[in-house]
Amino acid sequence: MEAIRKQASRFREQVARQQQAVLKQFGAGGYGGSDNLITDEAELQQHQKLEKLYISTRTAKHFQRDIVRGVEGYIIIGSKQVEIETKLSEDSKKYGSENTCTSGNTLSKAALSFGRARAHMEKEHGNLLKALGTQVAEPLRAMVMGSPLEDARHLAQRYDRMRQEAESQTIEVSKRQARMREMPGNHDLVMKLESAETKLHDLKSNMSILGKEAASAMATVEGQQQRLTLQRLIAMVEAERTYHQRVLQILDQLESEMISERQRLEAPPAPSVVDMPSPPPFEEVNGVYTSQTHNESTDCMGYFLGEVMYPYNGESDTELNLSIGDYIVVRKVTNNGWAEGECKGKAGWFPFAYIEKRERVLAGKVTEVF
């Protein structure tokens, strides 16, 4: 009978060792152990909450690290791009300022405009890279490497180790209880069982306190991760949006300038006034200069509006200076190619071929005529 009892005792010890080995195997890979041996409902819920917080904060930390790496790579590539584009800007401005082309300076002006616009865009690009570094990468890197997250994780890991110890102690208590049932009244076994139960009680009490502390710390860190990461993502979007808006404004202005130069280059030459006779003289009537009317040399067309198509510099006080886009109230047109009218409050003669008749004028241009 004694031999059978000893064999059963060895079998129970072997089973206990196998249980502990299984616990160690599943608990060695990180946070979290078995939920089967400690059956207190409140403790189990706390353990599961901590496990979820641990996974959530670890995933958020990896996401923050991915953002930092992506932004740092973007800054490195962007800095090289700024360097290349700045060199292109300098080359364009150099050509624009030093070009001596005999057929005109249209390309020189376009090159200068392109160089200045490119320099402005690269300045905005540099501002974007600086903003991404200071407003996105640095705050996230500080949180990834910061002590609050590591301190909270250490608390959770301490709780996990204590919980595993409590699980092992639960097995030990179960073993001693089984021996007590086999050998009731054994004083030595009673003392060992009471000591094991006291240790288990202390472990559970400390584990509960540490679990609450770890859960509070992890929840605080999780909230900070969520808020800060979202704020930095918004800051990154706003910085890039501002950059692209400013670049679009620069490109719109550059395109307008270059198209204007191209149109000037491709426009037909202005009509010649070399062979035209001089315009009729003006005579002063009550302090106002008006042209003399000669029935034989004046076509009476009535007043109408004309838009200036070619620039003209008057050669005398009786002639008007014209700029492309000006509007003129035309009052007389002579048979020899001259017309008389008023533009910007001044009356005078101008070559009629330099304007085109308009049926209407934009409201904003009316004040420019008078």
Side-chain angles (χ1 to χ4, degrees):
M1 189 68 181
E2 183 67 24
I4 295 174
R5 186 180 296 111
K6 289 182 178 178
Q7 185 177 1
S9 177
R10 286 195 298 271
F11 180 73
R12 284 193 299 271
E13 290 177 357
Q14 183 179 0
V15 170
R17 285 195 298 270
Q18 290 175 348
Q19 288 177 331
Q20 290 179 347
V22 171
L23 288 173
K24 290 181 180 179
Q25 178 181 358
F26 284 95
Y31 179 83
S34 172
D35 293 338
N36 299 324
L37 300 178
I38 301 177
T39 57
D40 180 78
E41 185 66 25
E43 193 284 328
L44 180 60
Q45 291 178 358
Q46 182 170 267
H47 168 70
Q48 292 173 344
K49 178 182 178 181
L50 256 177
E51 190 173 29
K52 292 178 180 178
L53 284 169
Y54 193 92
I55 295 173
S56 172
T57 54
R58 180 181 60 192
T59 304
K61 177 181 178 180
H62 291 167
F63 180 48
Q64 289 175 331
R65 185 181 291 121
D66 291 340
I67 295 174
V68 171
R69 290 172 178 169
V71 170
E72 288 177 343
Y74 183 86
I75 291 174
I76 292 173
I77 296 174
S79 299
K80 185 63 177 178
Q81 183 179 357
V82 169
E83 180 182 343
I84 295 172
E85 297 292 349
T86 299
K87 180 63 168 59
L88 174 59
S89 167
E90 293 172 352
D91 291 342
S92 298
K93 289 189 286 186
K94 181 179 179 181
Y95 176 84
S97 61
E98 297 180 359
N99 174 46
T100 56
C101 179
T102 58
S103 61
N105 60 353
T106 299
L107 180 57
S108 299
K109 291 181 179 180
L112 281 172
S113 297
F114 179 83
R116 286 193 293 265
R118 176 59 62 183
H120 194 184
M121 284 190 289
E122 296 319 309
K123 181 180 178 181
E124 295 294 342
H125 197 175
N127 291 339
L128 169 64
L129 299 179
K130 182 178 179 181
L132 292 179
T134 59
Q135 298 179 20
V136 179
E138 291 180 8
L140 290 179
R141 188 188 302 109
M143 190 165 194
V144 168
M145 305 299 295
S147 58
L149 175 60
E150 292 304 313
D151 292 345
R153 289 161 64 91
H154 289 159
L155 284 174
Q157 290 165 356
R158 281 178 55 195
Y159 164 81
D160 186 52
R161 289 193 295 269
M162 187 174 291
R163 191 174 192 276
Q164 292 179 20
E165 186 178 354
E167 290 173 346
S168 299
Q169 190 63 24
T170 300
I171 296 174
E172 182 66 22
V173 170
S174 298
K175 288 168 53 180
R176 295 191 181 281
Q177 288 174 343
R179 289 181 182 179
M180 279 293 299
R181 287 191 295 269
E182 294 172 1
M183 303 175 62
N186 188 317
H187 181 71
D188 185 48
L189 291 179
V190 171
M191 294 294 294
K192 289 182 178 180
L193 176 60
E194 290 179 351
S195 176
E197 290 176 340
T198 301
K199 182 178 179 180
L200 178 60
H201 179 270
D202 292 341
L203 281 172
K204 286 185 175 182
S205 177
N206 293 335
M207 184 177 64
S208 177
I209 296 173
L210 183 59
K212 292 178 181 178
E213 184 179 352
S216 175
M218 293 288 285
T220 300
V221 170
E222 183 189 50
Q224 292 175 345
Q225 285 179 327
Q226 296 293 308
R227 289 191 299 272
L228 179 65
T229 306
L230 178 59
Q231 291 172 355
R232 296 311 95 200
L233 286 176
I234 293 174
M236 181 163 58
V237 171
E238 290 177 344
E240 290 194 277
R241 180 174 177 270
T242 300
Y243 162 69
H244 289 296
Q245 285 180 332
R246 291 177 178 172
V247 167
L248 180 59
Q249 293 174 354
I250 296 170
L251 289 174
D252 284 343
Q253 182 178 353
L254 174 61
E255 183 185 34
S256 176
E257 293 176 359
M258 297 181 75
I259 289 178
S260 177
E261 282 297 318
R262 185 182 66 182
Q263 290 174 342
R264 189 177 69 85
L265 177 65
E266 296 175 353
S272 175
V273 295
V274 175
D275 299 329
M276 288 177 58
S278 299
F282 272 66
E283 60 181 1
E284 186 176 359
V285 179
N286 296 326
V288 178
Y289 285 96
T290 60
S291 61
Q292 297 177 352
T293 302
H294 302 281
N295 294 330
E296 69 277 9
S297 63
T298 303
D299 292 332
C300 184
M301 300 177 62
Y303 285 27
F304 64 90
L305 284 172
E307 182 180 356
V308 177
M309 307 307 296
Y310 308 97
Y312 177 73
N313 293 322
E315 298 181 358
S316 68
D317 293 340
T318 63
E319 297 179 28
L320 290 177
N321 293 323
L322 305 181
S323 298
I324 296 176
D326 286 348
Y327 282 86
I328 301 178
V329 176
V330 182
R331 299 188 292 212
K332 294 179 183 179
V333 179
T334 67
N335 294 327
N336 59 7
W338 290 91
E340 185 268 326
E342 183 176 352
C343 179
K344 297 180 180 180
K346 183 178 179 181
W349 293 100
F350 57 90
F352 181 62
Y354 278 52
I355 70 167
E356 287 185 3
K357 186 177 180 180
R358 294 288 182 259
E359 296 297 332
R360 61 181 64 184
V361 62
L362 297 175
K365 294 289 186 178
V366 173
T367 55
E368 298 180 6
V369 179
F370 302 100

